[in-house]
């Protein structure tokens, strides 16, 4: 009997269950999609390094999923409360007819179970479909080819979804029973009395608002101005919590006083008494005024979402675009010679013959010689001269570990420079200069140069042309940090310690070209020589791994948060409309144009969705500025990537947030239709 | 001039197997400036009749003309237009918007018609006449029942409608407030020339009207005019009719 009633109730209240069902289904679908990543990756050709990344990804997502299911669970509980509220009168009637509390709870249990099973089924179906899409996204992210396209379904992800949602549902049903047992019959049947409007003292509201804005401005200043930030964080990284805390508190203060201020201003304008404006305004006030905590929390959640997604996407864009910059050639291959020689052709004979000829296989290339300084040539201690005390540690350590210093001829450097399309240099016969590829020992070497250290190479006395090292982006085979450039005339008596071939493969299929090259170089190294190389393809793989991890986790968290925020707003909006039903009936009775009513509903809904988003966006501007400063030190982010990343995020927002807004409006319209 | 003409109106509820006839071939006319009371027991069809006139409900057959316009042929969009332009309502449970002040509630009737001109002055003077000027800035929960009903009356009248429909206006009020409200309604009828159609089961309220129509089982049973009688005499006449029906009209 109860189950029959449950069935019929669900059929009747399909519209009521609408947003509840939609949210749960979407939640399950997303949950499944992200947890099915592992099986989706079976579609692709995986390299060893990619496999490791995917395993890491799966672990991270599992961990995050626990948190995510907590968020979704709280959401479902909230949605459930709304449903019970909607049907208060119905439950009251059941009880007054003599149905016991236990039986009504049982009824609710069946209904929730039924809806839960349906949404689980639909959610998994939707998830399965979406995860095929996700597979394609993965392929794109990893920049590999599909081995074969087949429909994959992850059993493990399915079980995980069922498990987590099973737990959630048990919690929900327990909650329901508690709520049911607490409610008294009279509460359920009685019409709502006229509630007092929570009217706040305007003067206090004004002060709170001003204070809130002030605190917020100060917090922004902290994180946006580089100097302020440096001063703040000088003592302790944890000090960053101060502006964060200020931001949160000020958000609450602003929302607390917002409606009172708005009423103060708006009620004195001419348009207040036009159409349904006064009514709409009061509705918005009563709604926002009673959910200050919720709306502030949503604002902060939205802010986090924007930052997470934006940062993740921006990092991805940056890594991808920065990659091109720091990997200008396909390969840089160097042979370190046991016996120094200048005979390039002899050394590279193995790749300049019938089996493989680099002059034909490479579209462009250059071969350079690197020389090693002897201890007589160059001594780090004497190099820094009287500034040794400043750099004592660095110098002593370097010398203790027998660091070697290398040089290259000017003409060879300029050959590289034209290959890389970077600046060429000029040197007189009595000058030298130094270039650096990272900043590790910048100060040390700048000091030496500014001291005017004189190099003595085979009788040539060379003085530094510049008083500092020049920064250069070279992809070199042995990752030299510091390289000295000498005029060709100074190196006539020297023999090279390393020969380096740098260039681009001619073939378009770089993987194949590299495989050929790697096979060929096995014939090059003789006896006690050894080789080293830096390959663009390999760097790319590492790059891809990081991007995927960051993008995925960022999107997962971001979208779930976004979903939760939008769902809560939707539910609050529906709840308020249900409470206001009588007012809309009155408006209809006195003959208000239905168009005016629907416009009022739309505006109310708009305010509710837009206000927290607006403030969140303002917060995000400061937040992202902070992130750029933070990453600026490591050159991780550039502006154009930021714009592109933010653009994609705006798209995601429009789809999810906008979608929820539209659905909520439609459901609101449905609620006020005369029953 | 006929403000309201009801011609052979019938209203049925239900389907073939179980049919209820709420209004059974009813016809009557109301002239401009009249104050008409419709009396009947619960289930006599008086509220149904009022709902049909106010276009909240539709008749099964027959015609209703307001100012010459056949409202039974109007589509829903035209109906809401008609309702706000030509009618004013006073309900038993006030039906004021609880989030608006008295002033805003009255102003609402004007703003939904886009007739906000001289709003402030018009509302103030009407409020003065109805003795609610002091509570204009109060919310409904801060007012007494009588004050709320007078605000509703102001809302009904402010747009100068052709017809004011009142459904048991004194139903939720105590005797003092009832008397006060009825005096005000009489004033509106005399000074503002408002045409009022009031549904009530209370003979005392009905005695304020200048014509009373008695309805029983969906048909007009009897009709009496006040003429030159004073209110007390008229009240007695009303009681006589009720007694004549053997107390059937008394639904308490």
């Amino acid at each position: 009997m109860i189950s029959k009633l449950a069935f019929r109730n669900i059929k009747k209240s399909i519209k009521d269950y609408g947003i509840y069902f939609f949210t749960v289904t979407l939640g399950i679908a997303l949950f499944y999609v992200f947890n099915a990543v592992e099986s989706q990756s079976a579609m692709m050709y995986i390299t060893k390094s990619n496999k490791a990344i995917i395993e890491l990804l799966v672990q991270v997502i599992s961990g995050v999923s626990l948190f995510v299911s907590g968020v979704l669970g709280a959401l479902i509980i909230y949605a459930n409360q709304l449903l019970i509220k909607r049907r208060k009168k119905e439950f009251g009637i059941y009880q007054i007819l003599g149905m016991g509390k236990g039986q009504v709870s049982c009824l609710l249990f069946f209904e929730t179970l039924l809806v839960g099973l349906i949404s689980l089924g639909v959610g998994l179906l939707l998830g399965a479909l979406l995860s095929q899409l996700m597979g394609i996204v993965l392929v794109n992210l990893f920049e590999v080819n599909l081995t074969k396209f087949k429909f994959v379904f992850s059993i493990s992800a399915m079980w995980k979804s069922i498990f987590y949602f099973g737990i959630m549902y048990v919690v929900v049903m327990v909650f329901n029973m508690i709520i049911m047992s607490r409610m008294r019959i009279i509460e359920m049947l009685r019409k709502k009395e006229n509630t007092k409007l929570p009217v706040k003292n305007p003067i206090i509201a004004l002060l709170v608002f001003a204070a809130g804005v002030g605190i917020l401005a100060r917090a922004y200043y902290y994180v946006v101005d580089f100097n302020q930030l440096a001063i703040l964080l000088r003592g302790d990284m944890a000090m960053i919590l101060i502006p964060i805390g200020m931001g949160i508190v000020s958000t609450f203060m602003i929302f607390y006083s917002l409606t009172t201020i708005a009423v103060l201003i708006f009620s004195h304008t001419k348009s207040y008494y036009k159409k349904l404006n006064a009514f709409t305004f009061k509705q918005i006030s009563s709604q926002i005024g009673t959910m200050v905590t919720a709306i502030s929390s949503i604002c902060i959640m939205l802010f986090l979402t924007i930052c997470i997604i934006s940062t993740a996407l921006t990092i991805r864009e940056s890594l991808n675009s920065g990659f091109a910059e720091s990997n200008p050639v396909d390969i840089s291959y160097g042979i370190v010679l046991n016996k120094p020689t200048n005979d390039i052709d002899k050394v590279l004979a193995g790749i300049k013959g019938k089996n493989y000829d680099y002059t034909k296989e490479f579209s462009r290339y250059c071969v350079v010689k690197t020389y090693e300084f002897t201890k007589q040539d160059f001594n780090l201690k004497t190099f820094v001269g009287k500034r040794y005390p400043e750099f004592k540690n660095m110098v002593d350590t370097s010398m203790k570990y027998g660091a070697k210093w290398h040089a290259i001829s000017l003409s060879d450097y300029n050959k590289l420079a034209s290959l890389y399309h970077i600046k060429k240099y000029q040197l007189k016969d009595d000058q030298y200069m130094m270039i650096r590829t990272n900043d590790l020992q910048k100060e040390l070497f700048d000091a030496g140069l500014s001291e005017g250290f004189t190099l003595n190479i085979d009788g040539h006395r060379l003085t530094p042309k510049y008083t500092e090292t020049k920064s250069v982006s070279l992809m070199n085979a042995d990752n030299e940090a510091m390289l000295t450039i000498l005029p060709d005339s100074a190196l006539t008596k020297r023999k090279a310690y390393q020969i380096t071939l740098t260039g681009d493969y001619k073939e378009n299929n770089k993987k194949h070209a590299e495989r050929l090259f790697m096979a060929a170089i096995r014939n090059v190294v003789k006896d006690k020589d050894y080789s080293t190389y830096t390959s663009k393809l390999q760097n790319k793989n590492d790059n891809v791994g990081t991007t995927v991890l960051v993008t995925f986790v960022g999107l997962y968290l971001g979208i779930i948060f976004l979903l939760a925020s939008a769902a809560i707003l939707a539910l609050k909006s529906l709840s308020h409309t249900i409470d206001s039903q009588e007012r809309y009936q009155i408006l209809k009775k006195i003959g208000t144009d239905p168009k005016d009513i629907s416009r009022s509903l739309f505006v109310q809904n708009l305010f509710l969705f837009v206000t927290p988003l607006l403030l969140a966006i303002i917060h995000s501007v400061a937040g992202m500025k902070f992130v750029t400063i933070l990453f600026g030190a490591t050159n991780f982010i550039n502006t154009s990537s930021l714009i592109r990343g933010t653009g994609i995020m705006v798209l995601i927002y429009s789809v999810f947030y906008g979608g929820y807004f539209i659905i909520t409006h439609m459901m609101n319209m449905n609620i006020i239709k005369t029953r | 001039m006929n403000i309201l003409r009801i011609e052979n109106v019938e209203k049925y509820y239900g389907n073939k197997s179980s049919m209820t006839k709420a209004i059974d071939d009813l016809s009557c006319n109301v002239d401009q400036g009249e104050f008409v009371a419709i009396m009947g027991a619960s289930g006599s069809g008086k509220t149904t009749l009022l709902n049909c006139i106010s276009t909240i409900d539709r008749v099964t057959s027959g015609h209703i003309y307001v100012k010459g316009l056949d409202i039974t042929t109007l589509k829903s969009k035209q109906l809401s237009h008609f309702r706000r332009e030509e009618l004013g309502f006073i309900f038993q449970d006030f039906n004021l918007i609880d989030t608006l002040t008295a002033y805003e509630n009255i102003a609402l009737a004007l703003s939904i018609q886009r007739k906000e001109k001289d709003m402030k002055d018009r509302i103030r003077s009407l409020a003065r006449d109805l003795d609610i000027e002091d509570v204009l800035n109060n919310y409904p929960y801060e007012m007494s029942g009588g004050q709320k009903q007078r605000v509703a009356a102001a809302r009904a009248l402010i747009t100068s409608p052709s017809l004011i429909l009142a459904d048991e206006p004194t139903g939720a009020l105590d005797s003092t407030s009832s008397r006060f409200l009825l005096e005000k309604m009489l004033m509106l009828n005399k000074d503002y020339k408002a045409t009022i159609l009031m549904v009530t089961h209370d003979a005392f309220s009905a005695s304020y009207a200048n014509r009373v129509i008695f309805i029983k089982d969906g048909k007009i049973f009897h009709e009496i005019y006040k003429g030159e009688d004073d209110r007390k005499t008229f009240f007695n006449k009303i009681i006589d009719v009720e007694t004549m029906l053997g107390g059937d009209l008394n639904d308490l």
Side-chain angles (χ1 to χ4, degrees):
Chain A
M1 168 60 205
I2 293 210
S3 48
K4 204 169 29 164
L5 196 57
F7 259 113
R8 260 195 259 141
N9 279 349
I10 297 206
K11 259 200 275 182
K12 232 194 325 160
S13 5
I14 280 218
K15 286 187 216 151
D16 293 339
Y17 271 105
I19 269 228
Y20 179 76
F21 177 72
F22 180 71
T23 306
V24 175
T25 309
L26 208 60
I28 295 180
L30 276 172
F31 195 85
Y32 171 85
V33 165
F34 278 95
N35 279 287
V37 163
E38 189 172 18
S39 65
Q40 281 304 330
S41 59
M43 284 203 300
M44 314 181 310
Y45 171 73
I46 311 275
T47 63
K48 250 193 274 184
S49 58
N50 283 351
K51 194 157 199 268
I53 295 292
I54 289 189
E55 275 167 15
L56 180 63
L57 190 65
V58 167
Q59 278 184 355
V60 172
I61 286 189
S62 284
V64 172
S65 290
L66 194 63
F67 173 70
V68 161
S69 53
V71 170
L72 286 174
L75 192 64
I76 291 178
I77 290 176
Y78 183 74
N80 219 48
Q81 279 182 334
L82 181 77
L83 269 172
I84 294 182
K85 187 182 189 184
R86 186 100 148 102
R87 301 168 60 197
K88 245 187 3 180
K89 194 164 177 200
E90 189 186 331
F91 294 138
I93 294 179
Y94 290 147
Q95 293 206 350
I96 220 174
L97 286 175
M99 227 176 158
K101 280 209 176 130
Q103 284 178 304
V104 180
S105 297
C106 207
L107 176 66
L108 204 54
F109 171 84
F110 268 110
E111 285 186 29
T112 323
L113 187 68
L114 219 60
V115 176
L117 286 174
I118 297 176
S119 58
L120 188 67
V122 175
L124 283 175
L125 216 76
L126 186 66
L129 281 166
L130 284 177
S131 80
Q132 304 312 310
L133 265 166
M134 178 58 88
I136 298 178
V137 170
L138 263 181
V139 166
N140 174 277
L141 278 177
F142 273 113
E143 296 172 19
V144 294
N145 297 318
L146 277 179
T147 47
K148 48 190 182 291
F149 188 84
K150 61 171 184 180
F151 191 86
V152 238
F153 186 77
S154 164
I155 303 287
S156 73
M158 181 186 82
W159 285 125
K160 246 192 229 161
S161 309
I162 293 178
F163 178 67
Y164 278 113
F165 276 82
I167 295 183
M168 262 199 288
Y169 258 86
V170 166
V171 174
V172 166
M173 290 197 261
V174 166
F175 243 88
N176 282 350
M177 311 245 190
I178 296 178
I179 296 175
M180 282 307 308
S181 60
R182 285 242 198 96
M183 284 208 285
R184 291 179 293 150
I185 301 184
I186 182 72
E187 281 172 12
M188 291 193 249
L189 288 177
R190 186 166 48 186
K191 246 195 215 183
K192 230 183 163 199
E193 301 127 30
N194 283 330
T195 41
K196 288 199 182 173
L197 262 186
V199 173
K200 300 176 182 118
N201 185 330
I203 301 184
I204 294 183
L206 215 69
L207 288 171
V208 169
F209 187 74
V213 171
I215 295 179
L216 193 63
R218 185 70 182 96
Y220 283 165
Y221 190 48
Y222 265 136
V223 297
V224 161
D225 183 66
F226 188 67
N227 292 321
Q228 284 287 316
L229 194 61
I231 298 172
L232 177 74
L233 296 176
R234 176 146 294 169
D236 186 5
M237 258 313 212
M239 294 289 272
I240 194 66
L241 289 174
I242 293 186
I244 291 179
M246 286 166 81
I248 295 179
V249 164
S250 59
T251 307
F252 273 82
M253 289 169 86
I254 289 178
F255 275 114
Y256 175 81
S257 52
L258 185 66
T259 44
T260 320
I261 305 273
V263 169
L264 265 169
I265 301 175
F266 192 48
S267 59
H268 294 294
T269 59
K270 249 194 175 165
S271 51
Y272 187 65
Y273 290 109
K274 290 216 161 94
K275 297 187 236 178
L276 281 181
N277 292 350
F279 172 76
T280 309
F281 207 75
K282 289 285 173 78
Q283 284 287 95
I284 295 173
S285 299
S286 83
Q287 189 166 16
I288 296 189
T290 49
M291 54 181 276
V292 176
T293 322
I295 209 171
S296 307
S297 313
I298 288 175
C299 178
I300 293 171
M301 256 209 289
L302 287 174
F303 160 68
L304 282 173
T305 321
I306 296 178
C307 286
I308 293 176
I309 296 184
S310 233
T311 312
L313 291 172
T314 309
I315 291 181
R316 170 167 190 238
E317 293 288 318
S318 282
L319 282 177
N320 283 342
S321 62
F323 179 80
E325 216 183 87
S326 52
N327 288 273
V329 291
D330 286 343
I331 182 108
S332 172
Y333 172 69
I335 304 167
V336 179
L337 302 159
N338 189 31
K339 273 203 296 197
T341 169
N342 283 334
D343 190 349
I344 298 179
D345 289 333
K346 181 151 170 250
V347 173
L348 295 180
I351 49 174
K352 207 169 176 215
K354 275 196 289 234
N355 291 333
Y356 189 93
D357 187 349
Y358 72 85
T359 56
K360 296 203 176 74
E361 296 291 337
F362 278 56
S363 58
R364 47 187 208 131
Y365 63 89
C366 79
V367 182
V368 299
K369 301 197 284 274
T370 324
Y371 300 87
E372 192 164 270
F373 281 140
T374 61
K375 284 207 190 84
Q376 289 79 27
D377 293 329
F378 185 83
N379 179 300
L380 201 56
K381 194 163 171 191
T382 44
F383 177 67
V384 288
K386 58 183 195 280
R387 290 183 67 178
Y388 169 68
E390 270 175 70
F391 302 102
K392 188 174 187 313
N393 266 337
M394 228 190 269
V395 172
D396 289 348
T397 322
S398 262
M399 296 187 66
K400 181 173 163 197
Y401 286 102
K404 299 275 203 272
W405 305 102
H406 299 120
I408 184 176
S409 72
L410 180 67
S411 54
D412 271 358
Y413 174 76
N414 285 335
K415 265 200 275 182
L416 273 176
S418 64
L419 192 69
Y420 287 147
H421 303 297
I422 58 178
K423 183 180 167 163
K424 295 196 194 167
Y425 285 101
Q426 302 298 327
L427 285 178
K428 293 220 259 287
D429 280 347
D430 62 349
Q431 288 176 321
Y432 76 93
M433 63 179 283
M434 289 190 160
I435 53 171
R436 69 176 196 279
T437 53
N438 66 43
D439 289 356
L440 277 175
Q441 292 174 312
K442 176 175 172 342
E443 279 99 16
L444 171 62
F445 279 85
D446 284 354
L449 288 181
S450 55
E451 289 293 303
F453 179 76
T454 311
L455 268 178
N456 199 323
I457 310 279
D458 303 335
H460 300 268
R461 287 180 62 85
L462 305 166
T463 52
K465 180 170 182 183
Y466 305 106
T467 51
E468 42 157 28
T469 56
K470 295 291 179 190
S471 174
V472 145
S473 184
L474 278 187
M475 191 175 121
N476 45 1
D478 45 12
N479 293 319
E480 289 274 20
M482 290 290 169
L483 205 58
T484 310
I485 305 181
L486 301 171
D488 288 28
S489 54
L491 291 165
T492 43
K493 296 206 189 104
R494 292 291 172 117
K495 287 208 168 74
Y497 105 103
Q498 175 177 323
I499 310 269
T500 313
L501 164 68
T502 309
D504 289 332
Y505 303 120
K506 201 185 263 178
E507 201 185 343
N508 273 332
N509 185 345
K510 301 291 178 182
K511 249 206 237 140
H512 183 242
E514 182 141 304
R515 238 183 304 156
L516 287 180
F517 182 73
M518 289 297 157
I521 59 175
R522 279 197 230 128
N523 302 327
V524 176
V525 179
K526 298 175 184 67
D527 316 313
K528 302 205 186 82
D529 299 338
Y530 68 90
S531 64
T532 151
Y533 65 85
T534 312
S535 139
K536 183 182 191 169
L537 269 175
Q538 288 193 1
N539 284 351
K540 201 175 198 187
N541 269 337
D542 299 337
N543 196 32
V544 160
T546 323
T547 13
V548 167
L549 195 65
V550 164
T551 317
F552 248 69
V553 177
L555 278 179
Y556 189 36
L557 270 177
I559 292 182
I560 294 282
F561 270 1
L562 181 59
L563 199 74
S565 305
I568 293 178
L569 284 176
L571 291 169
K572 284 271 184 199
S573 175
L574 291 174
S575 171
H576 194 247
T577 310
I578 293 173
D579 289 343
S580 310
Q581 257 181 310
E582 274 159 27
R583 297 184 196 131
Y584 291 106
Q585 300 308 330
I586 296 173
L587 285 178
K588 281 197 198 164
K589 277 191 188 159
I590 65 174
T592 314
D593 193 342
K595 269 211 290 249
D596 280 352
I597 297 182
S598 61
R599 202 177 304 143
S600 171
L601 266 177
F602 184 79
V603 170
Q604 288 174 50
N605 209 21
L606 194 69
F607 253 72
L608 187 67
F609 273 77
V610 163
T611 340
L613 184 62
L614 218 61
L615 194 58
I617 291 178
I618 296 177
H619 284 338
S620 307
V621 170
M624 289 311 285
K625 188 100 206 307
F626 171 68
V627 166
T628 13
I629 292 183
L630 199 66
F631 280 109
T634 56
N635 261 341
F636 229 13
I637 295 189
N638 58 53
T639 335
S640 64
S641 311
L642 186 67
I643 295 176
R644 264 206 305 266
T646 316
I648 300 178
M649 190 214 60
V650 167
L651 193 71
I652 295 177
Y653 252 79
S654 313
V655 169
F656 281 96
Y657 207 66
Y660 258 93
F661 173 73
I662 293 174
I663 294 178
T664 312
H665 179 62
M666 293 192 327
M667 289 195 72
N668 275 335
M669 291 293 293
N670 193 32
I671 289 177
I672 64 165
K673 268 205 191 82
T674 8
R675 275 176 162 230
Chain B
M1 211 267 281
N2 269 349
I3 284 284
L4 176 67
R5 233 167 66 221
I6 302 174
E7 277 179 12
N8 305 108
V9 163
E10 293 189 324
K11 175 75 184 164
Y12 294 93
Y13 287 114
N15 48 28
K16 264 184 263 182
S17 42
S18 62
M19 186 120 63
T20 319
K21 216 178 210 179
I23 305 177
D24 187 4
D25 194 14
L26 196 146
S27 304
C28 84
N29 296 335
V30 174
D31 288 334
Q32 185 171 25
E34 283 199 88
F35 187 165
V36 181
I38 300 182
M39 284 193 76
S42 315
S44 56
K46 58 186 197 298
T47 309
T48 313
L49 181 63
L50 199 72
N51 284 347
C52 290
I53 298 172
S54 60
T55 69
I56 293 174
D57 203 352
R58 283 203 183 272
V59 303
T60 317
S61 74
H63 297 272
I64 301 179
Y65 300 89
V66 175
K67 255 166 110 178
L69 178 69
D70 187 352
I71 63 177
T72 50
T73 59
L74 291 180
K75 306 247 184 340
S76 60
K77 202 175 166 195
Q78 299 160 306
L79 279 177
S80 63
H81 182 260
F82 164 77
R83 222 180 292 145
R84 64 176 173 270
E85 300 272 332
E86 303 296 343
L87 300 178
F89 294 88
I90 305 178
F91 304 93
Q92 177 173 1
D93 37 10
F94 324 123
N95 277 355
L96 297 177
I97 306 266
D98 53 346
T99 49
L100 299 175
T101 61
Y103 184 90
E104 287 162 354
N105 265 292
I106 303 171
L108 187 65
L110 287 172
S111 61
I112 60 177
Q113 279 190 51
R114 318 280 197 266
K115 289 194 181 140
E116 305 101 352
K117 194 161 182 265
D118 303 322
M119 186 190 280
K120 204 164 176 192
D121 299 324
R122 287 165 68 182
I123 295 180
R124 285 215 170 273
S125 74
L126 186 57
R128 212 172 302 132
D129 287 337
L130 285 172
D131 208 16
I132 45 168
E133 208 180 357
D134 329 336
V135 295
L136 275 181
N137 288 326
N138 290 8
Y139 285 93
Y141 73 86
E142 294 170 320
M143 297 191 267
S144 71
Q147 288 169 324
K148 279 194 270 196
Q149 199 60 300
R150 295 202 297 283
V151 171
R155 178 179 70 187
L157 188 71
I158 193 79
T159 52
S160 311
S162 312
L163 187 60
I164 293 186
L165 300 169
D167 188 359
E168 308 271 13
T170 56
L173 303 176
D174 60 69
S175 51
T176 324
S177 313
S178 296
R179 194 188 302 262
F180 201 53
L181 177 72
L182 290 163
E183 297 281 354
K184 291 296 176 193
M185 284 173 77
L186 199 58
M187 179 270 296
L188 291 180
N189 175 243
K190 288 220 174 75
D191 299 342
Y192 284 75
K193 305 280 184 277
T195 314
I196 304 180
L197 191 63
M198 177 172 69
V199 160
T200 182
H201 65 266
D202 173 33
F204 177 74
S205 304
S207 67
Y208 278 81
N210 50 37
R211 176 177 159 204
V212 180
I213 301 174
F214 297 85
I215 296 198
K216 184 180 174 186
D217 296 329
K219 286 205 226 298
I220 293 187
F221 173 76
H222 194 48
E223 215 177 321
I224 54 177
Y225 285 79
K226 187 158 176 228
E228 300 300 324
D229 295 338
D230 68 341
R231 201 180 50 75
K232 217 153 178 268
T233 321
F234 194 43
F235 176 74
N236 288 331
K237 280 194 182 159
I238 296 173
I239 296 288
D240 285 340
V241 176
E242 285 192 320
T243 328
M244 189 165 51
L245 292 175
D248 280 347
L249 279 179
N250 192 348
D251 59 349
L252 283 172

